[in-house]
Amino acid sequence: MSTSIKSSTNELTFASVPAADGLNKALALSRVDIIDAIHESKLKGRGGAGFPTGTKWNLAAAETRTPKYMICNADEGEPGTFKDRVILTEFPDLVFDGMTIGARAIGASLGLLYLRAEYGYLHEHLENVVARRRKTGLLGRDIAGIEGFNYDVLIAMGAGAYVCGEETALIESLEGFRGEPRNRPPFPVVSGFLGRPSVINNVETLAWVACIFSKGVEWFRSYGTGASAGHKLFSISGDCEHPGVYEFPFGITVAKLLKEVGGEDAKAVQVGGASGRCVPRSEFERRLAFEDVPTGGSIVVFGPDRDMRAIAHNILDFFVDESCGQCTPCRLGNPKLLQGVEMLQEGTCSLQYLNDLKGLARTMQVASKCGLGQTSSVAFMSILEHFENEVLGRKPLL
Amino acid sequence: MSDKTTLPKRRAPLSQLLQPDLEPAPPVVEGTIGAKITVTIDGIETKVPLGTTILEAAKSIGVKIPTLCYHPDLEIAGICRICVVEVEGQRTLQAACAYPITDPIRINTYSRAVRLARRNVLDLILSEHCGDCYSCMKNGNCELQSLAEEYGVDEFRFGHLEVPVPVDDSSYSVVRDMNKCIRCRRCVRTCIDLQEVGVYEAVNRSNRVSIETFLDKPLLTVPCINCGQCINRCPTGALYAKPALHAVWKAIDDPAKHVIIQTAPSPRAAMGEMFGLEPGTTVTYQMNTALKRMGFEHVFDTNFTADLTIIEEGTELILRLYKALVQGDTSVALPQFTSCSPGWVKYAEHFWPEFIPNLSTAKSPQQMFGALIKTYYAEKMGLDPASVVSVALMPCSAKKFECNRPEMNDSGYKDVDFGLTTRELGSMFRQAGLHVPTMPKSDFDDPFGGATGSGLIFGATGGVMESALRTVLELVTGRKLETIYEHGDIIPVRGFEGVRYAELTIDEVGPVPSILAHLVPDWEWLRGATLKVAIAHGTANARKVMEDIKAGGHFSKCHFVEFMACPGGCLGGGGQPIPTSKEIRSARARAIYGEEKTLDVRKSFENPAVVRIYEEFLTDGPCGHKSHELLHTGYIDRGKFIE
Ligand SMILES: Cc1cc2nc3c(=O)[nH]c(=O)nc-3n(C[C@H](O)[C@H](O)[C@H](O)COP(=O)(O)O)c2cc1C
Ligand code: SF4
């Protein structure tokens, strides 16, 4: 457990929502009304991509093929992200409530929670919660007296690959194969686990689902911005005085957030983990929201003395290691970018080659098979854009 | 057509799956199939069936999209990304091979973004490809080389692989040069999905991904069946059949050697492709001339021993049935399995060793010929068998392994010295400046003479079965086959379906012909009997049949089953010209059946050379002592794990 959570977890909204409250309220509604409520709440996925949860559920609900599956993505692999761990540790019931609500909405008979390998120590804890829920009738047959609503949950362990957080790689891994992303379409809502309609939601998304039914759609929507409703958990780390898990409404500016955590002198902030973008000081007035600077919640603060080249190197090094190695742009492109950064460090990268690398990065962003390769060069490109002189080893012009 | 709801073929053992349920997927909803959708490709509007991929749709209007990891015979991977196209309204480019059209989308296949992406992808692939084109087996027939040319690659922008890893040439059949591998995984999908053997897998992540055998062992020491289907689908020169052509040239050049060649039917229906002819153009008789000019003393037709195989194998079947049905011998293994496909034989030895007794002990036509060349032929010609070099032209890479099986020396020498593939002989012809299609025609040489059609159709799936049935039916009924089947064509066993089943009832029986008189007293026991036969081609289909037999299902009631390791049978063999596809294989099959129609003798036992050899040499008849010594063999329980 992180020892440095400033706002203690009792201060999070999740602490004020009793287990099974949202679930019971949701199960009193019809399936259509559940989905409508989620639609109206404007809840968007907290896993990074920000896909509207109501739309996703609706697509899966419309599929006629059964069985269907409700999958919770607890792979939390994005560097600098640790909010799902807090939720799983402190508020697991909310997550299972959210999964059960989703299962009811789409007509799933089984839920699967895919747990990050490094969170293996939480496995027993979660199994105990599931066992308790089975005993109290929150899982099993005819849940909440709804005839035919049979639903159970399995917990599956990941094996340590970052890419398995990508939903189709996660499914492959669940099925026992190499964790490699699938071609999309078909999307999981049509053909997911074992080829059946499946919804994959992030841990935090599901916990918010439970809150929305407990506290109401209006309550949820009253926070955040128009396009990014509600609160969001942030995992904040790096060069700041009070790193930890925080809850803020969407739309908070980078500057305000830095003030809260004691990181005002930051030179730049990496938003959205390794796959996110690097926001320089000059853009600290920008808002953290899907319509401005999107994020899955990871914020890494870089202090004034940080070497931006080293940061680019560090991030690319991560992707070189974590690419599943399936498709050409990502498998071979990331090593070329990494090598490019090393050449920059050594002063052997010509401007023309740097240009080639930028073109390569653009190709990786549009031609890679999955989100990993499509985003791995985002940080590199934004560092190049905002810290060109530093990266090229030039003295700034006076 | 890819249905958007189908699950791709699975690649791992079921036991490995986390599977809360395994009921079969419900059938696709009626009404969605056959629906058409309008799509605009590069400004051209066209209608395609729902679920057609962008690649297929583009092809249908003559727009070529480059591909590398795509192969028409294989599951879609969508990983090389060379086929990316722009779909209007989408942020990212889409892989044309993997994108099913379900909406009226607008596509651009060569926009600036697409061209830049393709060039970058190509440059990346070249950076890990040790492309010494002029010293490569695939020079001139390499998909990567063609793309580099098409996209005007003029430098190795992202570097070039210099440090070679050792080439694995441990196998008798398949050589793996991983310095040329571009990780398209066509071989992996061929071996696991198409053939369901599974000796390759992608291991590791990122740029450390490599295609390896189990624990990266040499190919010789894993359960590779040598079928060479991976070779036929490798886009580069990473996989090729182990060359024998240099050794053959050397033998031809040696005046002390008497070099002969037997040619199998399938290469003759495909050699034209090596000279740019349309698939399905037969060049049998032109090739005879070219081979003689090249320096082979004699050219023989493998059909001769195909006929011999039919007689021996058919007799073996009759004997098995007689023992089981009349003598009540319960130890007789039935159904009898064919054994002329060395890929299938090795597959059975690895994966179904408990069924080895079911394999016909009759050798394959190649090996029967080998044994006779260095005995019967050498004797007849007054040659020292040690000076005879016996070469076999085969559509097959597994034949190279087969002729090296240690037990294949019943003549006292190595029965067949070298197996050549269609591709290798094609390059030998070119080296000798022999343009096969324009050669004058000439016939095969005595003493083995021309062939029967029965032997010829061995090349296509179902051919061995049809040949065997023609012979057995006529021998048993005493009636001309043509009075039972029109033209004597046993249509029920023909076709390209992966698994086929047929029943033939024997209504009447005739006298036992003299050639079999020493084995059975009469045919009364077969009167009214129903002969049940099955055919499977491609080891994935073979597996289906074997699993059913093992479970005591439908196929376990069969009397005779034909198995071919390669999809389509020999004409789709691992030594045939590249590329391959369903259409190409069908064209070759048409050529074989077409040529067969022109032959006078279409039944093995009517082949005068066959009659003569039983009179002159194999005097104790089919399955007799001498034939057992020379024409039959045994098998090895190999299991899946090799030390
Ligand atoms: C490389 C990669 C890694 C990802 N890792 C995670 C992860 O660890 N946790 C997560 O919830 N989503 C992750 N995602 C996003 C998922 O693919 C998916 O969009 C998400 O789980 C959907 O849930 P949501 O709609 O509730 O956000 C990842 C995506 C990519 C491309
Ligand atoms: S982009 Fe990277 S991680 Fe994603 S499929 Fe391609 S190689 Fe794998």
Side-chain angles (χ1 to χ4, degrees), chain B residues 134-162:
Chain B
Y134 31 79
S135 62
C136 180
M137 300 293 283
K138 280 300 261 311
N139 194 359
N141 190 19
C142 170
E143 293 176 39
L144 183 60
Q145 193 185 43
S146 311
L147 276 181
E149 188 266 340
E150 227 167 83
Y151 281 82
V153 171
D154 49 358
E155 59 165 338
F156 296 121
R157 214 149 37 107
F158 297 122
H160 192 46
L161 184 71
E162 306 266 340

PDB file of all heavy atoms in Angstrom, chain B residues 134-162:
ATOM      1  N   TYR B 134      20.710 -11.740 -53.915  1.00  0.00           N
ATOM      2  CA  TYR B 134      21.363 -12.552 -54.965  1.00  0.00           C
ATOM      3  C   TYR B 134      21.823 -13.902 -54.461  1.00  0.00           C
ATOM      4  O   TYR B 134      22.123 -14.788 -55.228  1.00  0.00           O
ATOM      5  CB  TYR B 134      22.526 -11.782 -55.594  1.00  0.00           C
ATOM      6  CG  TYR B 134      23.186 -10.853 -54.608  1.00  0.00           C
ATOM      7  CD1 TYR B 134      24.088 -11.333 -53.671  1.00  0.00           C
ATOM      8  CD2 TYR B 134      22.844  -9.492 -54.586  1.00  0.00           C
ATOM      9  CE1 TYR B 134      24.641 -10.480 -52.729  1.00  0.00           C
ATOM     10  CE2 TYR B 134      23.400  -8.642 -53.651  1.00  0.00           C
ATOM     11  CZ  TYR B 134      24.297  -9.140 -52.727  1.00  0.00           C
ATOM     12  OH  TYR B 134      24.836  -8.306 -51.800  1.00  0.00           O
ATOM     13  N   SER B 135      21.897 -14.077 -53.131  1.00  0.00           N
ATOM     14  CA  SER B 135      22.302 -15.400 -52.640  1.00  0.00           C
ATOM     15  C   SER B 135      21.153 -16.052 -51.885  1.00  0.00           C
ATOM     16  O   SER B 135      21.352 -16.758 -50.922  1.00  0.00           O
ATOM     17  CB  SER B 135      23.523 -15.273 -51.733  1.00  0.00           C
ATOM     18  OG  SER B 135      23.198 -14.491 -50.611  1.00  0.00           O
ATOM     19  N   CYS B 136      19.942 -15.762 -52.347  1.00  0.00           N
ATOM     20  CA  CYS B 136      18.771 -16.254 -51.634  1.00  0.00           C
ATOM     21  C   CYS B 136      17.977 -17.213 -52.512  1.00  0.00           C
ATOM     22  O   CYS B 136      17.813 -16.992 -53.707  1.00  0.00           O
ATOM     23  CB  CYS B 136      17.889 -15.075 -51.222  1.00  0.00           C
ATOM     24  SG  CYS B 136      16.407 -15.578 -50.342  1.00  0.00           S
ATOM     25  N   MET B 137      17.467 -18.265 -51.864  1.00  0.00           N
ATOM     26  CA  MET B 137      16.682 -19.262 -52.595  1.00  0.00           C
ATOM     27  C   MET B 137      15.415 -18.664 -53.202  1.00  0.00           C
ATOM     28  O   MET B 137      14.842 -19.236 -54.115  1.00  0.00           O
ATOM     29  CB  MET B 137      16.248 -20.398 -51.652  1.00  0.00           C
ATOM     30  CG  MET B 137      17.372 -21.147 -51.006  1.00  0.00           C
ATOM     31  SD  MET B 137      18.326 -22.073 -52.190  1.00  0.00           S
ATOM     32  CE  MET B 137      17.234 -23.467 -52.463  1.00  0.00           C
ATOM     33  N   LYS B 138      14.956 -17.556 -52.647  1.00  0.00           N
ATOM     34  CA  LYS B 138      13.707 -16.992 -53.143  1.00  0.00           C
ATOM     35  C   LYS B 138      13.933 -15.828 -54.109  1.00  0.00           C
ATOM     36  O   LYS B 138      12.974 -15.156 -54.492  1.00  0.00           O
ATOM     37  CB  LYS B 138      12.836 -16.531 -51.966  1.00  0.00           C
ATOM     38  CG  LYS B 138      12.067 -17.635 -51.264  1.00  0.00           C
ATOM     39  CD  LYS B 138      11.094 -18.370 -52.164  1.00  0.00           C
ATOM     40  CE  LYS B 138       9.648 -17.924 -52.057  1.00  0.00           C
ATOM     41  NZ  LYS B 138       9.094 -17.811 -50.749  1.00  0.00           N
ATOM     42  N   ASN B 139      15.166 -15.597 -54.491  1.00  0.00           N
ATOM     43  CA  ASN B 139      15.456 -14.514 -55.417  1.00  0.00           C
ATOM     44  C   ASN B 139      14.535 -14.605 -56.629  1.00  0.00           C
ATOM     45  O   ASN B 139      14.469 -15.626 -57.288  1.00  0.00           O
ATOM     46  CB  ASN B 139      16.924 -14.605 -55.863  1.00  0.00           C
ATOM     47  CG  ASN B 139      17.384 -13.333 -56.551  1.00  0.00           C
ATOM     48  OD1 ASN B 139      16.609 -12.393 -56.715  1.00  0.00           O
ATOM     49  ND2 ASN B 139      18.643 -13.301 -56.946  1.00  0.00           N
ATOM     50  N   GLY B 140      13.805 -13.538 -56.872  1.00  0.00           N
ATOM     51  CA  GLY B 140      12.917 -13.525 -58.028  1.00  0.00           C
ATOM     52  C   GLY B 140      11.511 -13.981 -57.710  1.00  0.00           C
ATOM     53  O   GLY B 140      10.608 -13.836 -58.524  1.00  0.00           O
ATOM     54  N   ASN B 141      11.319 -14.575 -56.550  1.00  0.00           N
ATOM     55  CA  ASN B 141       9.964 -15.017 -56.194  1.00  0.00           C
ATOM     56  C   ASN B 141       9.690 -14.680 -54.732  1.00  0.00           C
ATOM     57  O   ASN B 141       9.153 -15.475 -53.987  1.00  0.00           O
ATOM     58  CB  ASN B 141       9.829 -16.533 -56.443  1.00  0.00           C
ATOM     59  CG  ASN B 141       8.389 -16.999 -56.316  1.00  0.00           C
ATOM     60  OD1 ASN B 141       7.457 -16.208 -56.395  1.00  0.00           O
ATOM     61  ND2 ASN B 141       8.204 -18.297 -56.094  1.00  0.00           N
ATOM     62  N   CYS B 142      10.115 -13.475 -54.346  1.00  0.00           N
ATOM     63  CA  CYS B 142      10.012 -13.088 -52.943  1.00  0.00           C
ATOM     64  C   CYS B 142       9.033 -11.932 -52.835  1.00  0.00           C
ATOM     65  O   CYS B 142       9.147 -10.931 -53.534  1.00  0.00           O
ATOM     66  CB  CYS B 142      11.390 -12.662 -52.439  1.00  0.00           C
ATOM     67  SG  CYS B 142      11.365 -11.890 -50.823  1.00  0.00           S
ATOM     68  N   GLU B 143       8.070 -12.072 -51.945  1.00  0.00           N
ATOM     69  CA  GLU B 143       7.053 -11.026 -51.828  1.00  0.00           C
ATOM     70  C   GLU B 143       7.642  -9.735 -51.272  1.00  0.00           C
ATOM     71  O   GLU B 143       7.219  -8.644 -51.633  1.00  0.00           O
ATOM     72  CB  GLU B 143       5.884 -11.515 -50.954  1.00  0.00           C
ATOM     73  CG  GLU B 143       5.111 -12.631 -51.608  1.00  0.00           C
ATOM     74  CD  GLU B 143       4.005 -13.195 -50.731  1.00  0.00           C
ATOM     75  OE1 GLU B 143       3.341 -12.411 -50.031  1.00  0.00           O
ATOM     76  OE2 GLU B 143       3.808 -14.426 -50.756  1.00  0.00           O
ATOM     77  N   LEU B 144       8.632  -9.874 -50.391  1.00  0.00           N
ATOM     78  CA  LEU B 144       9.252  -8.686 -49.807  1.00  0.00           C
ATOM     79  C   LEU B 144      10.085  -7.952 -50.858  1.00  0.00           C
ATOM     80  O   LEU B 144      10.041  -6.727 -50.969  1.00  0.00           O
ATOM     81  CB  LEU B 144      10.122  -9.093 -48.612  1.00  0.00           C
ATOM     82  CG  LEU B 144      10.775  -7.958 -47.846  1.00  0.00           C
ATOM     83  CD1 LEU B 144       9.742  -7.006 -47.264  1.00  0.00           C
ATOM     84  CD2 LEU B 144      11.663  -8.505 -46.731  1.00  0.00           C
ATOM     85  N   GLN B 145      10.817  -8.724 -51.634  1.00  0.00           N
ATOM     86  CA  GLN B 145      11.635  -8.148 -52.698  1.00  0.00           C
ATOM     87  C   GLN B 145      10.741  -7.378 -53.677  1.00  0.00           C
ATOM     88  O   GLN B 145      11.058  -6.248 -54.059  1.00  0.00           O
ATOM     89  CB  GLN B 145      12.352  -9.298 -53.419  1.00  0.00           C
ATOM     90  CG  GLN B 145      13.464  -8.894 -54.350  1.00  0.00           C
ATOM     91  CD  GLN B 145      14.004 -10.116 -55.085  1.00  0.00           C
ATOM     92  OE1 GLN B 145      13.252 -10.969 -55.557  1.00  0.00           O
ATOM     93  NE2 GLN B 145      15.325 -10.218 -55.172  1.00  0.00           N
ATOM     94  N   SER B 146       9.614  -7.978 -54.054  1.00  0.00           N
ATOM     95  CA  SER B 146       8.717  -7.301 -54.996  1.00  0.00           C
ATOM     96  C   SER B 146       8.193  -5.998 -54.413  1.00  0.00           C
ATOM     97  O   SER B 146       8.098  -4.995 -55.121  1.00  0.00           O
ATOM     98  CB  SER B 146       7.505  -8.167 -55.326  1.00  0.00           C
ATOM     99  OG  SER B 146       7.893  -9.439 -55.661  1.00  0.00           O
ATOM    100  N   LEU B 147       7.853  -6.029 -53.118  1.00  0.00           N
ATOM    101  CA  LEU B 147       7.317  -4.817 -52.505  1.00  0.00           C
ATOM    102  C   LEU B 147       8.381  -3.729 -52.454  1.00  0.00           C
ATOM    103  O   LEU B 147       8.092  -2.552 -52.680  1.00  0.00           O
ATOM    104  CB  LEU B 147       6.820  -5.114 -51.094  1.00  0.00           C
ATOM    105  CG  LEU B 147       5.408  -5.676 -50.998  1.00  0.00           C
ATOM    106  CD1 LEU B 147       5.044  -5.909 -49.545  1.00  0.00           C
ATOM    107  CD2 LEU B 147       4.414  -4.729 -51.636  1.00  0.00           C
ATOM    108  N   ALA B 148       9.615  -4.140 -52.139  1.00  0.00           N
ATOM    109  CA  ALA B 148      10.707  -3.162 -52.078  1.00  0.00           C
ATOM    110  C   ALA B 148      10.864  -2.503 -53.445  1.00  0.00           C
ATOM    111  O   ALA B 148      11.079  -1.286 -53.550  1.00  0.00           O
ATOM    112  CB  ALA B 148      12.000  -3.841 -51.653  1.00  0.00           C
ATOM    113  N   GLU B 149      10.707  -3.301 -54.466  1.00  0.00           N
ATOM    114  CA  GLU B 149      10.818  -2.762 -55.819  1.00  0.00           C
ATOM    115  C   GLU B 149       9.647  -1.830 -56.112  1.00  0.00           C
ATOM    116  O   GLU B 149       9.815  -0.704 -56.571  1.00  0.00           O
ATOM    117  CB  GLU B 149      10.878  -3.924 -56.809  1.00  0.00           C
ATOM    118  CG  GLU B 149      11.192  -3.525 -58.238  1.00  0.00           C
ATOM    119  CD  GLU B 149       9.944  -3.324 -59.085  1.00  0.00           C
ATOM    120  OE1 GLU B 149       8.862  -3.840 -58.709  1.00  0.00           O
ATOM    121  OE2 GLU B 149      10.041  -2.636 -60.100  1.00  0.00           O
ATOM    122  N   GLU B 150       8.448  -2.302 -55.759  1.00  0.00           N
ATOM    123  CA  GLU B 150       7.232  -1.536 -56.033  1.00  0.00           C
ATOM    124  C   GLU B 150       7.277  -0.163 -55.343  1.00  0.00           C
ATOM    125  O   GLU B 150       6.855   0.828 -55.906  1.00  0.00           O
ATOM    126  CB  GLU B 150       6.043  -2.309 -55.473  1.00  0.00           C
ATOM    127  CG  GLU B 150       4.867  -2.447 -56.392  1.00  0.00           C
ATOM    128  CD  GLU B 150       3.905  -3.484 -55.843  1.00  0.00           C
ATOM    129  OE1 GLU B 150       3.106  -3.109 -54.982  1.00  0.00           O
ATOM    130  OE2 GLU B 150       3.971  -4.658 -56.263  1.00  0.00           O
ATOM    131  N   TYR B 151       7.760  -0.160 -54.106  1.00  0.00           N
ATOM    132  CA  TYR B 151       7.738   1.092 -53.348  1.00  0.00           C
ATOM    133  C   TYR B 151       9.040   1.861 -53.463  1.00  0.00           C
ATOM    134  O   TYR B 151       9.286   2.805 -52.708  1.00  0.00           O
ATOM    135  CB  TYR B 151       7.342   0.818 -51.888  1.00  0.00           C
ATOM    136  CG  TYR B 151       5.851   0.640 -51.795  1.00  0.00           C
ATOM    137  CD1 TYR B 151       5.275  -0.576 -52.105  1.00  0.00           C
ATOM    138  CD2 TYR B 151       5.019   1.715 -51.497  1.00  0.00           C
ATOM    139  CE1 TYR B 151       3.898  -0.734 -52.102  1.00  0.00           C
ATOM    140  CE2 TYR B 151       3.650   1.574 -51.489  1.00  0.00           C
ATOM    141  CZ  TYR B 151       3.094   0.343 -51.792  1.00  0.00           C
ATOM    142  OH  TYR B 151       1.735   0.200 -51.802  1.00  0.00           O
ATOM    143  N   GLY B 152       9.864   1.458 -54.409  1.00  0.00           N
ATOM    144  CA  GLY B 152      11.065   2.234 -54.718  1.00  0.00           C
ATOM    145  C   GLY B 152      12.032   2.365 -53.562  1.00  0.00           C
ATOM    146  O   GLY B 152      12.586   3.436 -53.326  1.00  0.00           O
ATOM    147  N   VAL B 153      12.238   1.284 -52.825  1.00  0.00           N
ATOM    148  CA  VAL B 153      13.201   1.337 -51.720  1.00  0.00           C
ATOM    149  C   VAL B 153      14.608   1.543 -52.293  1.00  0.00           C
ATOM    150  O   VAL B 153      15.071   0.756 -53.110  1.00  0.00           O
ATOM    151  CB  VAL B 153      13.142   0.042 -50.884  1.00  0.00           C
ATOM    152  CG1 VAL B 153      14.293  -0.001 -49.887  1.00  0.00           C
ATOM    153  CG2 VAL B 153      11.813  -0.052 -50.163  1.00  0.00           C
ATOM    154  N   ASP B 154      15.247   2.653 -51.882  1.00  0.00           N
ATOM    155  CA  ASP B 154      16.554   2.970 -52.451  1.00  0.00           C
ATOM    156  C   ASP B 154      17.644   3.021 -51.390  1.00  0.00           C
ATOM    157  O   ASP B 154      18.800   3.275 -51.674  1.00  0.00           O
ATOM    158  CB  ASP B 154      16.487   4.308 -53.201  1.00  0.00           C
ATOM    159  CG  ASP B 154      15.827   5.400 -52.362  1.00  0.00           C
ATOM    160  OD1 ASP B 154      15.405   5.090 -51.223  1.00  0.00           O
ATOM    161  OD2 ASP B 154      15.735   6.539 -52.832  1.00  0.00           O
ATOM    162  N   GLU B 155      17.238   2.824 -50.117  1.00  0.00           N
ATOM    163  CA  GLU B 155      18.247   2.787 -49.063  1.00  0.00           C
ATOM    164  C   GLU B 155      17.645   2.057 -47.868  1.00  0.00           C
ATOM    165  O   GLU B 155      16.431   1.901 -47.791  1.00  0.00           O
ATOM    166  CB  GLU B 155      18.652   4.200 -48.639  1.00  0.00           C
ATOM    167  CG  GLU B 155      17.454   4.995 -48.128  1.00  0.00           C
ATOM    168  CD  GLU B 155      17.832   6.253 -47.370  1.00  0.00           C
ATOM    169  OE1 GLU B 155      18.964   6.338 -46.877  1.00  0.00           O
ATOM    170  OE2 GLU B 155      16.975   7.138 -47.245  1.00  0.00           O
ATOM    171  N   PHE B 156      18.498   1.615 -46.984  1.00  0.00           N
ATOM    172  CA  PHE B 156      17.997   0.994 -45.758  1.00  0.00           C
ATOM    173  C   PHE B 156      17.921   2.089 -44.704  1.00  0.00           C
ATOM    174  O   PHE B 156      18.853   2.298 -43.944  1.00  0.00           O
ATOM    175  CB  PHE B 156      18.913  -0.148 -45.315  1.00  0.00           C
ATOM    176  CG  PHE B 156      18.940  -1.276 -46.312  1.00  0.00           C
ATOM    177  CD1 PHE B 156      20.133  -1.670 -46.913  1.00  0.00           C
ATOM    178  CD2 PHE B 156      17.775  -1.946 -46.661  1.00  0.00           C
ATOM    179  CE1 PHE B 156      20.153  -2.703 -47.829  1.00  0.00           C
ATOM    180  CE2 PHE B 156      17.792  -2.985 -47.581  1.00  0.00           C
ATOM    181  CZ  PHE B 156      18.977  -3.361 -48.168  1.00  0.00           C
ATOM    182  N   ARG B 157      16.791   2.798 -44.702  1.00  0.00           N
ATOM    183  CA  ARG B 157      16.671   3.997 -43.883  1.00  0.00           C
ATOM    184  C   ARG B 157      16.848   3.691 -42.398  1.00  0.00           C
ATOM    185  O   ARG B 157      17.432   4.459 -41.662  1.00  0.00           O
ATOM    186  CB  ARG B 157      15.305   4.654 -44.114  1.00  0.00           C
ATOM    187  CG  ARG B 157      15.351   6.146 -44.034  1.00  0.00           C
ATOM    188  CD  ARG B 157      14.321   6.783 -44.952  1.00  0.00           C
ATOM    189  NE  ARG B 157      13.083   6.023 -44.988  1.00  0.00           N
ATOM    190  CZ  ARG B 157      11.959   6.433 -44.397  1.00  0.00           C
ATOM    191  NH1 ARG B 157      11.957   7.534 -43.700  1.00  0.00           N
ATOM    192  NH2 ARG B 157      10.872   5.715 -44.520  1.00  0.00           N
ATOM    193  N   PHE B 158      16.292   2.566 -41.982  1.00  0.00           N
ATOM    194  CA  PHE B 158      16.383   2.233 -40.556  1.00  0.00           C
ATOM    195  C   PHE B 158      17.372   1.095 -40.316  1.00  0.00           C
ATOM    196  O   PHE B 158      17.222   0.294 -39.405  1.00  0.00           O
ATOM    197  CB  PHE B 158      15.002   1.893 -40.002  1.00  0.00           C
ATOM    198  CG  PHE B 158      14.037   3.048 -40.078  1.00  0.00           C
ATOM    199  CD1 PHE B 158      12.850   2.932 -40.760  1.00  0.00           C
ATOM    200  CD2 PHE B 158      14.359   4.257 -39.472  1.00  0.00           C
ATOM    201  CE1 PHE B 158      11.969   4.008 -40.835  1.00  0.00           C
ATOM    202  CE2 PHE B 158      13.492   5.343 -39.549  1.00  0.00           C
ATOM    203  CZ  PHE B 158      12.297   5.216 -40.233  1.00  0.00           C
ATOM    204  N   GLY B 159      18.377   1.023 -41.172  1.00  0.00           N
ATOM    205  CA  GLY B 159      19.414   0.019 -40.976  1.00  0.00           C
ATOM    206  C   GLY B 159      19.069  -1.293 -41.650  1.00  0.00           C
ATOM    207  O   GLY B 159      18.049  -1.408 -42.337  1.00  0.00           O
ATOM    208  N   HIS B 160      19.917  -2.270 -41.404  1.00  0.00           N
ATOM    209  CA  HIS B 160      19.839  -3.506 -42.154  1.00  0.00           C
ATOM    210  C   HIS B 160      20.490  -4.597 -41.322  1.00  0.00           C
ATOM    211  O   HIS B 160      21.535  -4.367 -40.726  1.00  0.00           O
ATOM    212  CB  HIS B 160      20.621  -3.302 -43.451  1.00  0.00           C
ATOM    213  CG  HIS B 160      20.394  -4.384 -44.434  1.00  0.00           C
ATOM    214  ND1 HIS B 160      19.137  -4.853 -44.727  1.00  0.00           N
ATOM    215  CD2 HIS B 160      21.253  -5.096 -45.202  1.00  0.00           C
ATOM    216  CE1 HIS B 160      19.237  -5.802 -45.629  1.00  0.00           C
ATOM    217  NE2 HIS B 160      20.511  -5.977 -45.926  1.00  0.00           N
ATOM    218  N   LEU B 161      19.842  -5.730 -41.253  1.00  0.00           N
ATOM    219  CA  LEU B 161      20.353  -6.806 -40.404  1.00  0.00           C
ATOM    220  C   LEU B 161      21.662  -7.360 -40.964  1.00  0.00           C
ATOM    221  O   LEU B 161      21.735  -7.755 -42.124  1.00  0.00           O
ATOM    222  CB  LEU B 161      19.323  -7.937 -40.312  1.00  0.00           C
ATOM    223  CG  LEU B 161      19.696  -9.081 -39.386  1.00  0.00           C
ATOM    224  CD1 LEU B 161      19.630  -8.651 -37.936  1.00  0.00           C
ATOM    225  CD2 LEU B 161      18.779 -10.268 -39.618  1.00  0.00           C
ATOM    226  N   GLU B 162      22.687  -7.346 -40.143  1.00  0.00           N
ATOM    227  CA  GLU B 162      23.999  -7.776 -40.626  1.00  0.00           C
ATOM    228  C   GLU B 162      24.447  -9.074 -39.984  1.00  0.00           C
ATOM    229  O   GLU B 162      25.103  -9.886 -40.618  1.00  0.00           O
ATOM    230  CB  GLU B 162      25.060  -6.702 -40.311  1.00  0.00           C
ATOM    231  CG  GLU B 162      24.709  -5.312 -40.827  1.00  0.00           C
ATOM    232  CD  GLU B 162      25.300  -5.028 -42.194  1.00  0.00           C
ATOM    233  OE1 GLU B 162      26.249  -5.724 -42.551  1.00  0.00           O
ATOM    234  OE2 GLU B 162      24.803  -4.113 -42.879  1.00  0.00           O
TER     235      GLU B 162
END
